[in-house]
C-alpha cells in the first residue's frame, strides 16, 4: 500500500463543485423558471442582473423590466443564483421531480461589505502581491490548467494574513472574473468565504460559466481535448462510472478503508463494487450513495501531475534528509490516489456523476489538490459518455470496421468510422496505433486536404503507451516508414527498444514528430503530412524492388 501521510493528505471543503444534480440526466423536462428582479427599497426593476443555475452555463440576464426566463431546466436538484454588482446575492435551492413552471419575485438589497479591521486595501498593503500569489495557488491551484488561468479583476481582493489561530482569509468586494484559457471558459465567480490554515482550505462560492468563442480552430480543438482530459479521472467521472457499474473498466480501483491511513500505517482495505455503495433514488436516474468510514479511489489510467508530486514532496518532512534513492523513488509519478468521506448519512448522485449535497462529501489526496482551474461546468457533457453509447461502442473493433468499409470501396466511410473510434477510445482512456496510421495514410493517399489537421491529431493520439506486442506488426511497419529520416544510431536504438518491448517507443515516435512540427501553435503538422504525402507519391509512381 502506498504511503499516505496525513500531513500530505491535505483536503479542501468546497461548496461549489456539485451544487446541483441531474443537469444532463434528463432531456427537455418541461421545467421553466421565470420571474422579475427589483430593488428591495425602491421596487424599481434591475436590468442585467445574472440569474443562473450555480456552476453551470444555464441562465439569463434580466431585461430592462427586470424580467428573466430560463426554459428546459432538467429535473433534479439545482441552486438558483441571483446577483448584481452592489447588491446582496440571493440563492434558492430547488428540486424538480415533474414538469412545472416556477415563478419568482426577487428583491435585492444593496450590499454592505464587512471588512475586518485587519484587512486593508490593496494599495495600503505592502505585501499584497505575496498574499495574492498565495491565494492564487490555493484557489486556482497548481495544475497544468492553472498555468493558463488568470483573475482579471484581482484588485477587488483583500486579504487577512494568517496569524496565530486565525486563518489566512480572502475577501472579494465584487465577483471575481476568471479567464481559463486551458479549458476555454470565462467564469464570474461569487466568492462567499475563503479560509486557509496550513494546507486545509475552505471556501464557498458560485460560478457562472461562459464558453470562449473567439479562439482559433486550433485553440477550440485544444480546449475540447483539455476538457476531456480534465474530466477523465475526476470525482464526477468516478461517480458516473460507479453509477454505470463500470468504474473498474474506466480505470478506477475502489476500496473501503476502516480508518484514515496515517503515515506509513498499513490499513486493511476491501475492494468494493457499485452494488455495495448504491441503492435506488427518488428519481429513476438517481442513486443513494452510502458507506461507512472511508473510500480509497485509485485512478490507473493517468499518473500524478508534476505540480501534485512537488506538493506532495514539499509537505513530507521525512524527505528533507532522505538519501538520493529514497528521494528519487518518492519523486516518481504514481497513479492518482484520493480518499472520500461522507459528512452525511448519504448523498444522492445521478447518472452523470453529479452530487446533490455539496457539504455531504470531503475528499483528500489528488481530488482535493485540483481546484478552480480544473473545474468544469455542471452541464458539461463528456462526449460519448452515456451508458447506452458506451454499452454499444466499448467493445467495437473500429479499425477492422474501417478496413472493411475501405475494402468495399467507401474510403470516406472508413475515415468516419476511425474518427468515431478515436472519440470513443479517448473517453475509455485507450488508443489504437492502427487507427492513427491507417487514417493519415488514407487521408494523404486520397489527397483529402480538409482532413490533414484531423489526421495529425488522430495520428499523435494513437501513439499513446500500449504494449508493444499488442500491435507489433503495426509498430514494425511504422519504424520502417520513419527509417529514412533517422540516423543509423537512432534507428538501431529504436530497433532495440522494439525488440525489448519498450512501451516508451510510442512516446519517442510521437516526440520525434512533434519536434519536427514547424508550426506547433496550429493543429497541422506539415512535416508529418509531407512525409506521408511522399509515401503516397512513391507508391503511385514507383514499384518496390
Amino acid at each position: 500500500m502506498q504511503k499516505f501521510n496525513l500531513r500530505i493528505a491535505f483536503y479542501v471543503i468546497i461548496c461549489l463543485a456539485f451544487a446541483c444534480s441531474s443537469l444532463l440526466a434528463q432531456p427537455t423536462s418541461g421545467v421553466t423558471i421565470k420571474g422579475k428582479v427589483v430593488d428591495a427599497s425602491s421596487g424599481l426593476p434591475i436590468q442585467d442582473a445574472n440569474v443562473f443555475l450555480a456552476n453551470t452555463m444555464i441562465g439569463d440576464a434580466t431585461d430592462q423590466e427586470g424580467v428573466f426566463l430560463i426554459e428546459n431546466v432538467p429535473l433534479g436538484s439545482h441552486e438558483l443564483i441571483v446577483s448584481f454588482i452592489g447588491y446582496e446575492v440571493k440563492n434558492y435551492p430547488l428540486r424538480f421531480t415533474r414538469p412545472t413552471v416556477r415563478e419568482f419575485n426577487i428583491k435585492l438589497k444593496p450590499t454592505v461589505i464587512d471588512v475586518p479591521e485587519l484587512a486593508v486595501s490593496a494599495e495600503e498593503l505592502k505585501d499584497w502581491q505575496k498574499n495574492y500569489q498565495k491565494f492564487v495557488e490555493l484557489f486556482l491551484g497548481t495544475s497544468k490548467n492553472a498555468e493558463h488561468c488568470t483573475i482579471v479583476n484581482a484588485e477587488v481582493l483583500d486579504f487577512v494574513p494568517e496569524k496565530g489561530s486565525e486563518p489566512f482569509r480572502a475577501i472579494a468586494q465584487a465577483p471575481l472574473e476568471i479567464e481559463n484559457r486551458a479549458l476555454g471558459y470565462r467564469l464570474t465567480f461569487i466568492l462567499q468565504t475563503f479560509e486557509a490554515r496550513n494546507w486545509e482550505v475552505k471556501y464557498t462560492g458560485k460560478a457562472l460559466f461562459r464558453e470562449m468563442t473567439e479562439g482559433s480552430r486550433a485553440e477550440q480543438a485544444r480546449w475540447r481535448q483539455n476538457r476531456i482530459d480534465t474530466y477523465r479521472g475526476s470525482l464526477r467521472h468516478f461517480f458516473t462510472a460507479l453509477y454505470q457499474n463500470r468504474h473498474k473498466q474506466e480505470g478506477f480501483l475502489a476500496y473501503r478503508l476502516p480508518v484514515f491511513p496515517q503515515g506509513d500505517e498499513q490499513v486493511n482495505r476491501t475492494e468494493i463494487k457499485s452494488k455495495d455503495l448504491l441503492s435506488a433514488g427518488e428519481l429513476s436516474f438517481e442513486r443513494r450513495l452510502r458507506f461507512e468510514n472511508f473510500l480509497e479511489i485509485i485512478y490507473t489510467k493517468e499518473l500524478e501531475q508534476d505540480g501534485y508530486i512537488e506538493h506532495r514532496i514539499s509537505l513530507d518532512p521525512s524527505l528533507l534528509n532522505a538519501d538520493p534513492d529514497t528521494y528519487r523513488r518518492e519523486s516518481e509519478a504514481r497513479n492518482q490516489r484520493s480518499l472520500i468521506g461522507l459528512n452525511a448519512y448519504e448523498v444522492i448522485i445521478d447518472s452523470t456523476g453529479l452530487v446533490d449535497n455539496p457539504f455531504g462529501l470531503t475528499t483528500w489526496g489528488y481530488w482535493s489538490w485540483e481546484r478552480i482551474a480544473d473545474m468544469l461546468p455542471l452541464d458539461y457533457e463528456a462526449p460519448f459518455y452515456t451508458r447506452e453509447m458506451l454499452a454499444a461502442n466499448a467493445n467495437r473493433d473500429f479499425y477492422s470496421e474501417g478496413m472493411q468499409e475501405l475494402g468495399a470501396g467507401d474510403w470516406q466511410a472508413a475515415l468516419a468510422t476511425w474518427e468515431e473510434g478515436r472519440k470513443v477510445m479517448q473517453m475509455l482512456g485507450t488508443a489504437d496505433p492502427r487507427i492513427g496510421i491507417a487514417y493519415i495514410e488514407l487521408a494523404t493517399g486520397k489527397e483529402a486536404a480538409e482532413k490533414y489537421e484531423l489526421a495529425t491529431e488522430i495520428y499523435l493520439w494513437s501513439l499513446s503507451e500500449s504494449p508493444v506486442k499488442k500491435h507489433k506488426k503495426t509498430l514494425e511497419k511504422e519504424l520502417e516508414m520513419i527509417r529514412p529520416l533517422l540516423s543509423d544510431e537512432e534507428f538501431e536504438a529504436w530497433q532495440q527498444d522494439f525488440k525489448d518491448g519498450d512501451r516508451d517507443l510510442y512516446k519517442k515516435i510521437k516526440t520525434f514528430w512533434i519536434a519536427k512540427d514547424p508550426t506547433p501553435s496550429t493543429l497541422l503538422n506539415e512535416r508529418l503530412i509531407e512525409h506521408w504525402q511522399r509515401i503516397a507519391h512513391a507508391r503511385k509512381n514507383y514499384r518496390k524492388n
Side-chain angles (χ1 to χ4, degrees):
M1 183 175 177
Q2 294 178 358
K3 180 179 179 181
F4 201 71
N5 195 313
L6 182 59
R7 287 178 58 86
I8 64 174
F10 57 99
Y11 65 97
V12 185
I13 298 175
I14 309 173
C15 176
L16 54 88
F18 303 98
C20 54
S21 68
S22 311
L23 282 163
L24 304 175
Q26 294 291 302
T28 302
S29 67
V31 173
T32 296
I33 302 173
K34 64 179 183 178
K36 187 173 184 178
V37 181
V38 300
D39 183 289
S41 301
S42 66
L44 295 175
I46 298 177
Q47 185 177 357
D48 293 327
N50 285 320
V51 185
F52 61 96
L53 300 184
N55 310 314
T56 74
M57 296 183 288
I58 302 173
D60 192 21
T62 55
D63 62 17
Q64 60 184 3
E65 299 298 324
V67 173
F68 66 90
L69 177 66
I70 305 174
E71 298 179 296
N72 299 325
V73 176
L75 300 179
S77 300
H78 309 280
E79 186 174 12
L80 185 70
I81 306 298
V82 185
S83 72
F84 188 71
I85 294 178
Y87 287 83
E88 293 180 347
V89 176
K90 287 267 191 176
N91 64 299
Y92 300 89
L94 304 174
R95 181 166 175 80
F96 301 109
T97 58
R98 58 182 175 79
T100 187
V101 176
R102 183 77 181 272
E103 191 165 357
F104 291 85
N105 183 21
I106 299 169
K107 299 178 180 180
L108 296 185
K109 296 180 181 179
T111 187
V112 177
I113 300 176
D114 182 18
V115 181
E117 294 181 7
L118 289 176
V120 294
S121 68
E123 294 77 18
E124 296 169 333
L125 190 60
K126 293 181 180 180
D127 59 350
W128 181 91
Q129 189 62 43
K130 179 181 178 181
N131 286 324
Y132 175 68
Q133 187 58 42
K134 178 177 181 178
F135 172 77
V136 166
E137 292 182 4
L138 294 173
F139 182 65
L140 297 182
T142 56
S143 66
K144 292 178 181 178
N145 289 340
E147 296 174 5
H148 306 281
C149 200
T150 57
I151 299 174
V152 178
N153 61 337
E155 68 277 1
V156 305
L157 284 165
D158 285 323
F159 305 102
V160 180
E162 184 174 354
K163 186 175 181 181
S165 61
E166 292 298 315
F168 172 78
R169 295 179 60 200
I171 302 154
Q173 301 182 43
L176 299 178
E177 299 299 332
I178 301 170
E179 284 193 357
N180 189 334
R181 299 205 70 86
L183 300 180
Y185 293 116
R186 287 190 176 88
L187 287 72
T188 298
F189 193 96
I190 302 168
L191 184 66
Q192 296 168 316
T193 64
F194 182 95
E195 293 184 357
R197 182 185 290 106
N198 297 324
W199 291 104
E200 177 185 338
V201 181
K202 300 179 182 180
Y203 56 93
T204 59
K206 316 295 177 185
L208 170 62
F209 284 79
R210 298 181 180 87
E211 281 191 289
M212 293 182 178
T213 58
E214 70 277 12
S216 65
R217 288 179 61 194
E219 282 182 307
Q220 295 283 348
R222 186 171 67 252
W223 292 337
R224 288 194 297 271
Q225 183 59 52
N226 287 348
R227 291 169 189 171
I228 292 174
D229 292 342
T230 298
Y231 175 84
R232 285 175 53 193
S234 66
L235 180 63
R236 182 175 166 191
H237 182 188
F238 169 68
F239 280 148
T240 303
L242 188 71
Y243 180 100
Q244 297 174 349
N245 195 25
R246 285 187 50 84
H247 62 279
K248 206 163 186 178
Q249 295 94 316
E250 292 295 314
F252 294 100
L253 300 178
Y255 302 94
R256 190 195 309 276
L257 301 182
V259 296
F260 194 95
Q262 305 283 348
D264 294 318
E265 176 187 4
Q266 298 298 309
V267 176
N268 292 326
R269 58 184 186 177
T270 306
E271 188 170 359
I272 54 174
K273 300 178 180 180
S274 296
K275 65 180 183 180
D276 300 325
L277 303 173
L278 302 180
S279 59
E282 179 182 7
L283 300 175
S284 62
F285 53 85
E286 293 180 331
R287 298 291 183 271
R288 301 178 188 276
L289 172 67
R290 189 185 307 162
F291 60 88
E292 294 180 353
N293 304 318
F294 303 94
L295 295 184
E296 177 189 30
I297 312 299
I298 299 173
Y299 186 56
T300 62
K301 293 191 176 182
E302 282 184 7
L303 298 177
E304 300 165 335
Q305 288 190 25
D306 291 343
Y308 181 76
I309 297 171
E310 292 173 6
H311 200 97
R312 171 164 56 78
I313 290 174
S314 69
L315 294 178
D316 191 346
S318 67
L319 295 177
L320 293 176
N321 300 312
D323 61 84
D325 289 340
T326 299
Y327 189 87
R328 190 181 306 111
R329 185 173 60 253
E330 292 297 322
S331 301
E332 292 177 353
R334 307 166 179 170
N335 290 325
Q336 298 171 5
R337 183 169 181 254
S338 305
L339 269 69
I340 310 174
L342 283 181
N343 303 325
Y345 177 67
E346 65 182 15
V347 295
I348 305 299
I349 68 170
D350 71 12
S351 59
T352 60
L354 300 178
V355 182
D356 73 332
N357 179 8
F359 289 113
L361 294 171
T362 298
T363 63
W364 294 263
Y366 201 84
W367 284 336
S368 68
W369 170 74
E370 295 176 319
R371 305 292 169 84
I372 295 298
D374 303 298
M375 183 180 175
L376 292 165
L378 297 184
D379 47 331
Y380 169 75
E381 186 169 10
F384 286 87
Y385 205 81
T386 65
R387 186 175 188 176
E388 293 74 20
M389 296 184 78
L390 276 177
N393 293 302
N395 297 317
R396 287 173 60 184
D397 185 348
F398 289 96
Y399 171 74
S400 297
E401 289 182 25
M403 292 303 294
Q404 289 175 2
E405 290 163 336
L406 184 60
D410 194 343
W411 66 270
Q412 292 173 316
L415 291 181
T417 295
W418 291 331
E419 289 169 13
E420 181 186 5
R422 179 245 187 158
K423 291 179 180 178
V424 172
M425 295 178 76
Q426 268 188 319
M427 290 311 303
L428 295 173
T430 59
D432 188 341
R434 298 176 302 168
I435 289 178
I437 294 169
Y439 190 98
I440 199 169
E441 182 177 7
L442 182 57
T444 51
K446 295 296 182 181
E447 299 181 356
E450 73 280 2
K451 295 288 188 179
Y452 287 172
E453 286 187 353
L454 188 56
T456 299
E457 277 193 89
I458 293 178
Y459 176 85
L460 295 177
W461 154 78
S462 72
L463 296 177
S464 300
E465 289 189 45
S466 181
V468 170
K469 292 182 180 179
K470 185 174 182 180
H471 301 297
K472 190 171 183 178
K473 291 183 179 179
T474 300
L475 190 55
E476 187 174 25
K477 179 181 175 182
E478 183 64 3
L479 288 178
E480 288 296 329
M481 294 291 187
I482 300 175
R483 182 173 185 174
L485 306 178
L486 302 173
S487 67
D488 291 341
E489 292 78 9
E490 287 175 321
F491 182 72
E492 289 176 7
W494 284 18
Q495 279 286 83
Q496 189 61 49
D497 290 340
F498 176 76
K499 292 177 182 178
D500 295 341
D502 187 351
R503 297 170 69 101
D504 284 341
L505 184 54
Y506 289 98
K507 188 184 298 183
K508 291 177 182 178
I509 297 174
K510 184 176 181 179
T511 302
F512 172 82
W513 283 115
I514 291 174
K516 288 190 173 296
D517 188 356
T519 55
S521 62
T522 67
L523 290 178
L524 182 65
N525 186 326
E526 291 88 346
R527 295 294 174 267
L528 177 62
I529 296 299
E530 289 169 3
H531 168 70
W532 281 97
Q533 286 174 325
R534 287 194 293 269
I535 292 173
H537 176 78
R539 285 176 174 166
K540 289 179 182 178
N541 296 282
Y542 302 98
R543 180 182 301 174
K544 186 175 181 180
N545 189 342

